Amino acid sequence: MLDKKRLDRILSLALPIIGGMVSQNVLNLVDTAMVSRLENSNAALAAVGYGGFLLFVSQAVILGLSTGVQASASRRKGQGRLHETALFLNAALVIVAVAAPILMLMVINWAETIYPYINDDPEVQALGVPYIQIRALGMIFVASNFAFRGYWNAIDMARLYMLTLIAMHVANIILNYIFIFGNLGAPALGVEGAAIASAASLGFGTAVYFTFGILYARENGFLQGFPTRADVLSLIRISLPPGVQQMFFAGGFLATFWIIGQIGTAEVAAANILINLMLVAILPGMGLGMAAATLVGQALGRGDVADASAWAWDVVKVAIVIMGLLGLPMIFLPEQVVTAIYTLQPETLDVLLWPLRLIGITMVFEALGMTMQFALQGAGYTRKVMVVAVLNQWLVYLPVAYVVGPVLGFGLTAIWALNVSYRSAQSFIFVSFWMKGRWAEVKI
């Protein structure tokens, strides 16, 4: 049984994070739900799906700074050095300011050349290229927002993260309504309107984060200096593996889209919806995982390895219960879950029902793996986590998925079965890392 005080501590950290992330993924669902109502809905959904993952691949390396900031700041808080925590945020924002514009220009210039290799449907390309180019304008805002997320979570102020995301995504929904369909006198821009709304709302969110930083983090060093050179190098060392991991993870989903695209556009549209539903469903696991990263980091800062280990297992218990319950509707009522949100063509609905059931069945394994992954990253044990995640996805799952899908013709359900199987196996590898305890030796 879980001690009530520890449960309250876990939930006080996790619930604001989950609330903020729910708003973020509700936004994604609203985006895709609105796009699904366009006349060319399958092509539009495919364009938004490919575009979102291509952008994530492009910026993933600098998004890893969120993990580095959270691990470093939580460790300092545990050591009683709260006044130094925001120095790591400052360093991350400078790195973002240098790297993000370079990545943005690369994406804008190369989008038209790269896209045909991802999908050869002319209609999807025509919609997808401008979508990517417009969304790329907000890349500096995305990376900055991730850095702030890591900081607020590390110092037990996740409510500011939640409030910012809610405000940002309310703005995005309003802008989607205006620009996708041409309301309030604006032109009807369709997929391009969705991209404009997303980029503008991300910039608004960054402005809110900076305002909160000035109000609540100045005494902790926000905009007042940098950590030592050794600490900056440590920040980069911890941030780079999760950044690379996220890049390959998103690239793997992009490759999955490409593999599914060899089967048909309806399957690609279905895969986009499946991924969005899955990302919403695993939000409690991600929020609880981030709470575990903070609790582990703070315990290690106090020098209490046993407590750090106990926090991870306590969070696992909570995550398994919550995510297991969330998986039940996907198992028993998949059609109702989908049609409550989306307006789909019949062939698209038909191909996604069994893959959605598979997501529901494996939710408890996602809970286990996600919590352990974040706990390991919160301890700074990021390199081996990256190696396992990348090799499992790229050397095991993707080659087999290509053979099973386009070559042997087993379709979307078989590909998704492979997807949830490799992720479940990966969960137990992360558990074995935690049980060996080498994460406690990482110096930050």
Side-chain angles (χ1 to χ4, degrees):
M1 295 294 293
L2 186 61
D3 180 83
K4 186 179 183 302
K5 288 184 178 180
R6 293 177 76 85
L7 176 61
D8 289 344
R9 173 73 170 133
I10 291 168
L11 294 180
S12 69
L13 279 172
L15 288 179
I17 301 172
I18 295 169
M21 297 182 78
V22 165
S23 77
Q24 179 175 345
N25 283 271
V26 165
L27 165 69
N28 292 336
L29 288 177
V30 169
D31 270 357
T32 52
M34 288 184 176
V35 168
S36 75
R37 285 163 172 77
L38 294 173
E39 184 177 352
N40 53 348
S41 62
N42 275 350
L45 283 168
V48 170
Y50 281 120
F53 279 105
L54 182 58
L55 283 165
F56 196 84
V57 171
S58 304
Q59 62 198 11
V61 171
I62 53 175
L63 299 187
L65 287 165
S66 176
T67 300
V69 170
Q70 183 169 357
S72 302
S74 64
R75 190 74 66 98
R76 293 299 181 276
K77 179 177 170 61
Q79 294 168 346
R81 298 158 64 184
L82 186 62
H83 61 284
E84 298 179 9
T85 53
L87 300 181
F88 295 95
L89 173 61
N90 297 342
L93 291 174
V94 169
I95 295 170
V96 167
V98 173
I102 297 171
L103 295 173
M104 176 192 74
L105 292 174
M106 290 170 60
V107 171
I108 291 173
N109 289 330
W110 294 350
E112 194 168 356
T113 302
I114 293 172
Y115 212 99
Y117 293 99
I118 302 171
N119 187 283
D120 59 3
D121 186 325
E123 189 176 11
V124 175
Q125 292 177 28
L127 295 171
V129 170
Y131 178 83
I132 291 171
Q133 291 173 329
I134 294 168
R135 283 287 306 272
L137 297 174
M139 193 174 288
I140 190 169
F141 303 133
V142 177
S144 298
N145 293 352
F146 267 68
F148 275 106
R149 182 186 80 176
Y151 176 71
W152 296 127
N153 292 345
I155 65 165
D156 297 354
M157 296 187 73
R159 69 183 186 279
L160 299 181
Y161 164 58
M162 177 187 70
L163 292 173
T164 304
L165 278 185
I166 292 173
M168 180 170 64
H169 298 322
V170 167
N172 197 20
I173 290 171
I174 294 170
L175 293 173
N176 273 334
Y177 173 77
I178 293 171
F179 290 114
I180 291 177
F181 303 110
N183 292 304
L184 302 182
L189 299 175
V191 171
E192 291 185 24
I196 292 170
S198 295
S201 64
L202 287 165
F204 170 69
T206 302
V208 173
Y209 274 131
F210 268 94
T211 302
F212 280 148
I214 292 170
L215 292 174
Y216 297 105
R218 291 287 285 177
E219 63 185 12
N220 298 338
F222 182 60
L223 300 181
Q224 297 188 61
F226 299 98
T228 66
R229 181 175 179 274
D231 285 339
V232 171
L233 292 175
S234 175
L235 173 67
I236 295 171
R237 174 177 56 82
I238 295 167
S239 301
L240 190 57
V244 172
Q245 179 183 337
Q246 290 186 72
M247 180 181 69
F248 277 96
F249 177 73
F253 268 120
L254 196 59
T256 299
F257 268 114
W258 179 84
I259 291 170
I260 295 170
Q262 309 305 301
I263 303 171
T265 299
E267 283 79 5
V268 173
N272 184 25
I273 290 167
L274 285 168
I275 289 170
N276 277 291
L277 289 172
M278 183 183 75
L279 291 175
V280 170
I282 65 174
L283 286 179
M286 294 182 69
L288 287 162
M290 290 182 188
T294 294
L295 293 165
V296 167
Q298 291 180 4
L300 291 175
R302 298 191 300 271
D304 193 340
V305 174
D307 194 41
S309 179
W311 277 121
W313 290 115
D314 286 346
V315 175
V316 163
K317 297 171 189 175
V318 179
I320 285 176
V321 171
I322 293 175
M323 293 181 67
L325 292 173
L326 287 174
L328 295 178
M330 289 184 273
I331 298 171
F332 297 108
L333 299 169
E335 185 170 349
Q336 290 82 349
V337 170
V338 174
T339 56
I341 304 170
Y342 296 102
T343 302
L344 299 177
Q345 297 179 14
E347 65 271 20
T348 303
L349 180 62
D350 288 343
V351 299
L352 65 75
L353 294 182
W354 264 107
L356 185 57
R357 288 189 179 98
L358 292 174
I359 293 173
I361 291 168
T362 56
M363 285 289 283
V364 292
F365 301 115
E366 286 285 352
L368 179 64
M370 202 164 298
T371 302
M372 285 305 180
Q373 175 180 318
F374 277 102
L376 289 163
Q377 291 175 337
Y381 197 77
T382 56
R383 188 173 62 85
K384 284 197 174 180
V385 170
M386 173 202 70
V387 170
V388 167
V390 171
L391 293 184
N392 276 347
Q393 186 179 34
W394 283 85
L395 296 186
V396 179
Y397 161 63
L398 288 172
V400 178
Y402 180 77
V403 172
V404 167
V407 175
L408 298 179
F410 284 105
L412 181 62
T413 298
I415 291 173
W416 222 263
L418 289 169
N419 185 282
V420 297
S421 296
Y422 104 82
R423 290 182 61 79
S424 298
Q426 182 173 282
S427 298
F428 290 100
I429 296 174
F430 291 155
V431 169
S432 71
F433 284 171
W434 191 257
M435 294 179 70
K436 289 177 182 177
R438 293 177 183 171
W439 47 268
E441 302 169 5
V442 178
K443 305 297 182 184
I444 300 178

